[in-house]
Amino acid sequence: MAVYTHLTAAEIAEFLDAYDVGDLRSAKGIAEGVSNSNWLIETERAHASQRFILTVFEARTEADDLPYFLSLLDHLAAKGLPVPRTIHTRDGALMREARGKPCALIEFLPGVSVDEPEPAQARAVGIALADLHLAAEDFPQSRASSLSLPICVQMLRDNAAKFDEIDPQLDTIIPDCGAGVLEHWPVDLPAGTIHSDLFPDNVLSVGDRVTGLIDFYFACSGILAYDLAVTHAAWSFDLADNAFRPDVGHALIEGYESCRPLSDAERGALPLLAQGACLRFVATRVEDWFATPVDGLVRRKNPMQFAHRLAFYRAQGEAAFTL
Amino acid sequence: MAVYTHLTAAEIAEFLDAYDVGDLRSAKGIAEGVSNSNWLIETERAHASQRFILTVFEARTEADDLPYFLSLLDHLAAKGLPVPRTIHTRDGALMREARGKPCALIEFLPGVSVDEPEPAQARAVGIALADLHLAAEDFPQSRASSLSLPICVQMLRDNAAKFDEIDPQLDTIIPDCGAGVLEHWPVDLPAGTIHSDLFPDNVLSVGDRVTGLIDFYFACSGILAYDLAVTHAAWSFDLADNAFRPDVGHALIEGYESCRPLSDAERGALPLLAQGACLRFVATRVEDWFATPVDGLVRRKNPMQFAHRLAFYRAQGEAAFTL
């Protein structure tokens, strides 16, 4: 939620020169995304204006992976999904540099992110996620997750000695740093290309209609039902008191299954997959907790939010997913 | 350059309900302004979209002064100046609250801020500033500056003992904390409504055409030529090495005088007025320097930038303004 790289208007205009998008009319640094710098750009050509998002990829996004992310946007947009197209340069390139950093120009999509999702919105997101899984079936590229469960378990082990500094309950909830979840992790579920970070922040809507799935910079190859479990864990809890919202969770799964029904094996794995999803967010937030100075530019997210959700999924088992 | 108050999409939609602007389609927190939180809002009505800036006024802007600022925007926009109109509620109000803070909805204007002004742009800004002074002649409200020269001198005196912590040169440049400038400050120059903070940040342009004068939250009653001196001090120095750009400074004054010629008294006062302008920015930056933690969310601006400009104006006298 910050602009890390300040490009001047002249630098942005020079950047746009490589694209067939008209002349720069407006550029506003926007507070969107936690890892990259984003501008909302407006251009004009023949009295028609167009809007784009210009993203400067900061160190945290691996530059080698950018062609994967940007090609995936193109693949999904071409199939009619509400995903921002990557704008190509006149030479057909997916990205170019500004200030020595890789940058991409992508389509601007309307819509707002909901903060407190209602069932109708969750259902629409379930449909959109299933659409995404189906549309990506023939996407030819692959990418290993940089936050796979073994990696997350290791991240937690590296910080386990300091869990008490965050919250005395953290060690009680994951005394094994997730080893138990890892041990039973399914290996034979349907896999494909997944978003893997579909938080409410990353979904734009107008009313109950999904107008944008954004921020694909954690997309990777993975278990499809894991993506649904991530989305379930991200959407189905009250922000204020972290209480489970069964109506929202059920609507999400019902929407998903209306496009892509789950197999019995997938359905049976959801409780464990959801615990794995929670472990990942606990692990990354624990790392960020110790890496971020208290007065820093980035607000720390509390790892306990997802630790408590993990405990919920472990306690509830299949009941959390029963329609 | 931050969003201090995070409004949810639901809160923004509820806020917009009081205005006749259509339905919310997009809301992006933008990194604009140092004291307030700003959103770029898009609405839609009858398939036509419109854009606005929603500003949440944080503690630093005095709520009692907001009607003055917002009425001034209306006054100037009605006269055709490139100034954002204040959007009124259906009940005719200039502002309303969200999250217990005063907020205003103003027109979005296209254009980008130049970082390194060229003479043609400075000339256009000079014209726009003179237009503003002339258009505001019949603006019926008044407001005393909260950063008048006596106040700034006092701010500097309050911090003088710590000048060395900023830079050993600071005390050498203003050993009297500006008392000498204050002593000779002119009292009988033409006065009116002034912007008083027309930095390049606060001017939007498309090419050499000024498309927006923004951020009127320091506007007040004051000496018109002081406003020109503020603008001269803010525009006519290289960002990289703080060197004077005579071509830019001359173009600014030439543009201003093409609409509103200066009297001999105004012209003769410019060197002192420019020193007063610099003193103000030294004073506010010195205060912010000691008030802002090094790791804080707001980047500190170095007071020495304007201390050196002050020394330049004192040394050059009228030569800095000779066309």
Side-chain angles (χ1 to χ4, degrees):
Chain A
M1 193 141 167
V3 174
Y4 298 90
T5 301
H6 180 78
L7 300 178
T8 66
E11 285 173 314
I12 292 174
E14 193 276 329
F15 176 84
L16 295 177
D17 277 347
Y19 297 83
D20 185 26
V21 293
D23 298 319
L24 178 62
R25 280 295 171 270
S26 177
K28 305 282 187 197
I30 57 176
E32 201 144 290
V34 288
S35 316
N36 299 316
S37 302
N38 289 288
W39 271 263
L40 176 52
I41 301 286
E42 183 173 324
T43 65
E44 191 173 280
R45 185 168 44 183
H47 300 292
S49 71
Q50 272 188 292
R51 269 160 297 153
F52 305 95
I53 302 289
L54 188 168
T55 300
V56 182
F57 296 100
E58 308 290 348
R60 203 163 167 165
T61 307
E62 286 177 52
D64 291 349
D65 290 336
L66 291 175
Y68 171 86
F69 302 134
L70 298 168
S71 304
L72 178 57
L73 292 181
D74 274 356
H75 181 92
L76 296 172
K79 295 211 171 185
L81 262 77
V83 161
R85 279 184 308 130
T86 303
I87 311 302
H88 296 229
T89 68
R90 287 198 178 86
D91 299 335
L94 287 165
M95 44 197 277
R96 66 179 304 227
E97 286 196 351
R99 211 52 95 73
K101 295 182 180 179
C103 303
L105 192 68
I106 65 170
E107 192 182 5
F108 167 88
L109 295 177
V112 294
S113 301
V114 294
D115 288 72
E116 296 176 65
E118 291 305 317
Q121 293 160 328
R123 187 175 191 282
V125 169
I127 293 171
L129 183 64
D131 280 347
L132 188 162
H133 290 167
L134 298 174
E137 272 178 354
D138 58 348
F139 181 59
Q141 301 183 42
S142 66
R143 174 181 176 264
S145 171
S146 52
L147 292 169
S148 67
L149 193 59
I151 292 171
C152 293
V153 169
Q154 191 55 51
M155 283 164 71
L156 288 166
R157 283 185 175 140
D158 292 343
N159 289 289
K162 296 184 287 183
F163 279 0
D164 265 7
E165 295 175 29
I166 297 172
D167 193 306
Q169 283 195 279
L170 185 52
D171 187 61
T172 313
I173 294 174
I174 46 168
D176 65 350
C177 293
V181 176
L182 183 57
E183 193 181 336
H184 298 98
W185 197 244
V187 290
D188 49 3
L189 294 179
T193 303
I194 64 177
H195 184 286
S196 99
D197 201 44
L198 202 57
F199 276 74
D201 278 0
N202 293 333
V203 177
L204 302 175
S205 318
V206 172
D208 297 338
R209 185 167 58 90
V210 172
T211 54
L213 306 174
I214 59 174
D215 208 345
F216 277 73
Y217 305 114
F218 289 101
C220 58
S221 308
I223 296 170
L224 301 182
Y226 169 72
D227 212 6
L228 179 59
V230 165
T231 311
H232 193 272
W235 281 70
S236 314
F237 295 81
D238 231 36
L239 272 190
D241 60 2
N242 215 16
F244 182 56
R245 290 274 313 266
D247 53 343
V248 172
H250 292 173
L252 173 75
I253 293 184
E254 199 266 312
Y256 186 90
E257 289 215 276
S258 73
C259 290
R260 182 181 173 272
L262 296 169
S263 70
D264 288 347
E266 285 180 303
R267 172 167 293 282
L270 281 177
L272 197 78
L273 293 171
Q275 291 171 61
C278 293
L279 266 176
R280 173 176 138 210
F281 300 118
V282 174
T284 53
R285 291 180 180 191
V286 163
E287 281 233 326
D288 287 348
W289 190 270
F290 293 116
T292 309
V294 175
D295 289 329
L297 279 160
V298 175
R299 201 160 297 161
R300 305 193 296 191
K301 290 182 178 168
N302 193 333
M304 295 312 294
Q305 185 184 40
F306 276 92
H308 290 302
R309 294 182 190 183
L310 189 161
F312 167 84
Y313 285 119
R314 189 165 52 202
Q316 294 291 309
E318 293 191 15
F321 300 95
T322 308
L323 296 188
Chain B
M1 190 138 168
V3 175
Y4 298 91
T5 302
H6 181 78
L7 299 178
T8 67
E11 286 173 314
I12 292 174
E14 193 276 328
F15 176 84
L16 294 178
D17 277 347
Y19 296 83
D20 185 26
V21 293
D23 297 320
L24 178 62
R25 280 296 170 269
S26 177
K28 305 283 186 198
I30 57 176
E32 201 144 291
V34 287
S35 317
N36 299 316
S37 302
N38 289 288
W39 272 263
L40 177 51
I41 302 286
E42 183 172 321
T43 65
E44 192 172 280
R45 184 167 47 183
H47 300 292
S49 71
Q50 274 188 290
R51 269 161 296 152
F52 304 96
I53 302 289
L54 189 168
T55 300
V56 182
F57 296 98
E58 308 289 349
R60 201 164 166 165
T61 306
E62 288 177 51
D64 291 348
D65 290 334
L66 291 175
Y68 170 86
F69 302 134
L70 298 169
S71 303
L72 178 57
L73 293 180
D74 274 357
H75 181 91
L76 296 172
K79 295 211 172 185
L81 261 78
V83 160
R85 278 183 311 130
T86 303
I87 311 302
H88 295 229
T89 67
R90 286 196 178 85
D91 299 334
L94 287 164
M95 44 196 277
R96 65 180 304 226
E97 286 196 352
R99 209 56 91 71
K101 294 182 181 179
C103 303
L105 192 69
I106 64 171
E107 192 183 3
F108 167 87
L109 295 178
V112 293
S113 300
V114 294
D115 287 72
E116 298 177 63
E118 290 305 316
Q121 292 160 327
R123 186 174 191 280
V125 169
I127 293 172
L129 183 63
D131 280 348
L132 189 162
H133 290 166
L134 297 174
E137 272 178 353
D138 58 347
F139 181 59
Q141 301 183 41
S142 66
R143 174 181 177 263
S145 170
S146 51
L147 292 169
S148 66
L149 193 59
I151 292 170
C152 293
V153 169
Q154 190 56 51
M155 283 164 72
L156 288 166
R157 284 186 175 138
D158 291 345
N159 289 288
K162 296 185 287 182
F163 278 0
D164 264 9
E165 294 175 32
I166 297 172
D167 193 306
Q169 282 195 279
L170 185 52
D171 187 60
T172 314
I173 294 174
I174 45 166
D176 65 350
C177 292
V181 176
L182 183 57
E183 193 182 335
H184 298 98
W185 198 245
V187 290
D188 49 3
L189 294 179
T193 303
I194 64 176
H195 183 287
S196 98
D197 201 46
L198 202 56
F199 275 73
D201 279 1
N202 293 333
V203 177
L204 303 175
S205 319
V206 172
D208 297 337
R209 186 168 57 91
V210 173
T211 55
L213 305 175
I214 60 173
D215 209 345
F216 276 74
Y217 304 115
F218 289 102
C220 58
S221 309
I223 296 171
L224 301 182
Y226 169 72
D227 212 7
L228 179 59
V230 165
T231 312
H232 193 273
W235 282 70
S236 314
F237 295 80
D238 231 37
L239 272 190
D241 60 3
N242 215 15
F244 182 56
R245 291 273 313 265
D247 54 343
V248 172
H250 292 175
L252 173 74
I253 292 183
E254 199 266 312
Y256 186 89
E257 289 215 276
S258 73
C259 290
R260 182 181 173 273
L262 296 168
S263 69
D264 288 347
E266 285 179 303
R267 172 168 291 281
L270 281 177
L272 196 78
L273 294 170
Q275 291 172 58
C278 293
L279 267 176
R280 173 176 137 208
F281 300 118
V282 174
T284 53
R285 291 179 180 192
V286 163
E287 280 234 325
D288 287 349
W289 189 271
F290 293 115
T292 311
V294 176
D295 288 330
L297 280 159
V298 175
R299 201 159 297 159
R300 304 194 297 189
K301 291 182 178 168
N302 194 331
M304 295 311 295
Q305 186 184 40
F306 276 92
H308 289 302
R309 294 183 190 185
L310 189 160
F312 168 83
Y313 285 119
R314 191 165 50 202
Q316 293 291 308
E318 293 192 14
F321 300 96
T322 308
L323 295 189

